[in-house]
Amino acid sequence: MCRRAFGSMLSRTMSDRLRGKVAIVTGAGSRGPGLGNGKATAILFAREGARVLCVDQVGARAEETVGLIRGEGGEAAALAADVTRAADCEAMVRAAVERWGGLDILQNNVGIESRKDLLDTPEDEWDHVLAVDLKSMFLATRAAVPALVARRGGSVVCVSSVAALRGHGRTAYAAAKAGVIGFVRSVAVQLGARGIRVNAIAPGAVWTPMVESLGAEARERRRRATALGTEGTAWDVGWGAVYLASDEARWVTGQTLVVDGGVTLTTREGTLGAPR
Ligand SMILES: NC(=O)c1ccc[n+]([C@@H]2O[C@H](COP(=O)([O-])OP(=O)(O)OC[C@H]3O[C@@H](n4cnc5c(N)ncnc54)[C@H](O)[C@@H]3O)[C@@H](O)[C@H]2O)c1
């Protein structure tokens, strides 16, 4: 994605929906060239006026997103942290609070795929996927709550997947992403009275560096499986996050926003992603 494309989005979309807010986006880099969900979300948060701490296990990836945001005149900082570690999650929240005086939004975007079905999944891969895709959300949210409470409320958005909602061949991934939805519903009830909203986004088959290795044929199959017949992008996921993070969603908590071009509505192509 070139700078010019980022720039043209800026002029069309700036509306200050997050003005004055401080946000953390985890997995704010992208694993390859192009635009991942975390990177797009961090950019849109900044365009909407938030100051954004871009967190990534690979510092250079977070720095790249920060460079794009600053290049557009937005405010952002990078932090290298592994969100499967409690100490890193606490350090991440501390960094945002020390830099900008508080925290309003936590976007738990980090996730990795496992493309194996039940019988092929080694135990250590199951543990790793559950740690990255689910435990990280528990650790990051737990670390963020005191700072959100200090601001008298805030928004936590956790990235799930349609893999949680459909029959899906990738067992560890589907289980972790379903766990995210259960986590969100549980925590939303616990934190609602303190003004903290907790929601999930379940993206469908969006084209990001995470799925680059799938190849052209799978990409086409994913596109055709949607009701809209079009491919999603990381921007689609990012806009969902902007809504859930903003005060426009002030009465929305414990929900899962499905951003999938209607793939959960159709079985035209069978079960998306299942081994064939
Ligand atoms: N692409 C899709 O089709 C699709 C569909 C549904 C859901 N999702 C979800 O979207 C989310 C992220 O997508 P993306 O496009 O931003 O992926 P991405 O792989 O491009 O970026 C994720 C970033 O997270 C970082 N990361 C990985 N483990 C980390 C850790 N332990 N601590 C800190 N950072 C870590 C990586 O370095 C990477 O830069 C994931 O939760 C994924 O499951 C994607």
Side-chain angles (χ1 to χ4, degrees), residues 27 29-39 61 109-115 129 132-133 137 159-163 168 170 172-174 176-177 203-215 222 233-234 237:
S30 286
R31 74 176 66 189
L35 196 71
N37 295 327
K39 189 194 266 182
R61 295 179 181 173
N109 164 75
V110 160
I112 54 167
E113 263 217 304
S114 161
R115 296 197 181 144
V129 171
V132 176
D133 291 8
M137 307 223 171
V159 178
S160 176
S161 166
V162 292
H168 199 280
R170 296 155 188 174
Y173 186 71
K177 293 300 189 179
V206 290
W207 192 251
T208 69
M210 179 172 154
V211 294
E212 193 81 43
S213 64
L214 285 179
R222 284 157 56 99
T233 73
V237 178

